[in-house]
Amino acid sequence: LVLLVVLTKEIILGNSTFHLTKTETESIVVTKSVAVCVRGVNRNVDNAESIMKTIVAPLDADVFGVIQTNDRTTSVDLSLALKAVSSDNTNFSYHDVLSELKNDGFNESFWEMVAAKSQNSLAPLLGQRGSALFQYKSFKRCFELIDDHEKKKRGGHQYSNIIVMRSDHFCLAQPFCPSQLLESIVVPSGDDWRGVNDRMMAMPRSAAKLILTGAWDKLTNMRSSEYFVRNTEVVLSFLIKESQKHLLRSDNTCYLKCNQQSQTSWGKCSPGGFKYEQEFRSAKSNMNLTC
């Protein structure tokens, strides 16, 4: 879509209104309708080809990366491998995330009391193992990168749909068909752990702010503590209900692939193999599905 505008006029695109101040005619080129944000540790660069083939290319999507780097990650930039239009490659620790939360108004004492009654949704607050706070940050950062790109590079024109996925996914076939990307939140079938699988999901842009920044917002405003009673999957299930969007479950065609260089510290994982056997078998059985 090419929008030709005179830069002294008010422009209305969808629900967005913005003003341009230059006195010449300029074209704003908007060609992509889907944004894909890949989040996780910069280790699984060999997965990039499968992500490009099964998600980015079929949907003609823009890619964004929230990629954590540290001294144990590969020197190859996953964001470059995915041809990301915008990325945030940082080495952040639990203390960095906690400091950022506090700067946004997080009351540590209040949430430590909640954490004492919950499972892994707030486990690090009690000195326990868990990645929940990292996940809340990476979801929020995905939204920020996409929102900033829309404002600065797309003239305020929003994507119609956003896909968020972990960097260690290896896909054997398309996990999302274009016909599914309407107003539903689409989540491949898999391990829900009494909530909704949060490893990969597609959502309409209208629901993205709530789904991706909702957990962070509630933590920094001491709201909806009941969302955090169990795990990140339960947190997501509450956010989906709050969005009032229809939840569509699709056939699983991707699995979490183990790092080639070393074993993961989470569960049983042989280098280059799969992390969860049931997920791998499900993806393999659906590898010949087409849209």
Side-chain angles (χ1 to χ4, degrees):
L1 171 64
V2 179
L3 304 172
L4 295 176
V5 299
V6 178
L7 298 188
T8 52
K9 301 294 184 179
E10 177 181 89
I11 304 169
I12 302 177
L13 295 176
N15 295 323
S16 301
T17 302
F18 60 98
H19 302 270
L20 300 173
T21 57
K22 293 182 181 179
T23 57
E24 60 187 61
T25 301
E26 181 177 295
S27 64
I28 300 173
V29 180
V30 179
T31 60
K32 312 285 187 178
S33 64
V34 178
V36 177
C37 186
V38 179
R39 62 186 187 92
V41 179
N42 192 59
R43 282 195 297 240
N44 298 78
V45 178
D46 55 324
N47 292 0
E49 184 178 352
S50 86
I51 295 173
M52 296 292 287
K53 181 180 179 180
T54 62
I55 301 176
V56 179
L59 297 174
D60 190 25
D62 278 335
V63 181
F64 297 79
V66 178
I67 309 299
Q68 186 180 2
T69 59
N70 55 48
D71 56 3
R72 294 176 296 171
T73 59
T74 178
S75 59
V76 180
D77 189 342
L78 178 58
S79 296
L80 288 177
L82 291 168
K83 301 179 181 179
V85 299
S86 180
S87 63
D88 182 0
N89 293 10
T90 55
N91 181 10
F92 55 85
S93 66
Y94 163 69
H95 296 290
D96 294 328
V97 177
L98 186 59
S99 177
E100 186 177 343
L101 277 166
K102 289 181 177 178
N103 287 339
D104 287 350
F106 181 75
N107 186 317
E108 188 172 4
S109 298
F110 172 81
W111 287 107
E112 282 179 347
M113 290 189 293
V114 176
K117 301 176 183 179
S118 68
Q119 294 189 6
N120 69 1
S121 63
L122 297 168
L125 292 178
L126 302 178
Q128 300 171 359
R129 188 180 187 182
S131 63
L133 297 185
F134 288 93
Q135 293 194 51
Y136 305 145
K137 175 183 169 63
S138 66
F139 281 133
K140 179 178 77 80
R141 194 70 187 111
C142 277
F143 178 81
E144 290 171 344
L145 286 179
I146 294 170
D147 187 64
D148 186 66
H149 185 79
E150 289 171 334
K151 292 173 180 176
K152 294 180 179 179
K153 302 296 184 180
R154 291 168 58 93
H157 189 62
Q158 295 183 339
Y159 294 96
S160 59
N161 294 87
I162 293 175
I163 294 171
V164 180
M165 61 182 297
R166 283 174 47 161
S167 62
D168 47 354
H169 270 112
F170 191 91
C171 297
L172 302 177
Q174 287 180 241
F176 303 109
C177 295
S179 60
Q180 296 172 326
L181 302 184
L182 299 172
E183 282 299 307
S184 295
I185 294 174
V186 187
V187 180
S189 59
D191 297 322
D192 287 335
W193 300 106
R194 299 188 183 181
V196 176
N197 191 339
D198 60 355
R199 298 169 193 164
M200 175 189 291
M201 62 186 122
M203 67 201 74
R205 178 62 175 80
S206 58
K209 185 173 184 179
L210 172 61
I211 299 300
L212 298 180
T213 71
W216 190 275
D217 177 66
K218 294 177 189 306
L219 287 173
T220 55
N221 289 283
M222 290 195 299
R223 294 190 296 114
S224 306
S225 60
E226 69 276 9
Y227 284 29
F228 300 89
V229 297
R230 189 171 180 85
N231 50 39
T232 58
E233 289 85 359
V234 169
V235 173
L236 177 59
S237 70
F238 274 115
L239 291 172
I240 291 174
K241 290 177 183 177
E242 186 177 337
S243 76
Q244 298 185 334
K245 297 291 185 181
H246 173 66
L247 174 62
L248 175 65
R249 304 308 298 266
S250 60
D251 293 313
N252 175 53
T253 60
C254 307
Y255 67 95
L256 298 186
K257 187 176 181 180
C258 301
N259 176 25
Q260 288 283 4
Q261 286 73 33
S262 62
Q263 291 188 344
T264 178
S265 60
W266 292 90
K268 297 179 180 180
C269 202
S270 301
F274 53 82
K275 186 173 180 181
Y276 301 112
E277 182 176 1
Q278 184 175 354
E279 181 184 61
F280 170 74
R281 292 186 181 280
S282 171
K284 191 174 181 180
S285 68
N286 293 327
M287 64 184 297
N288 292 321
L289 293 179
T290 59
C291 289

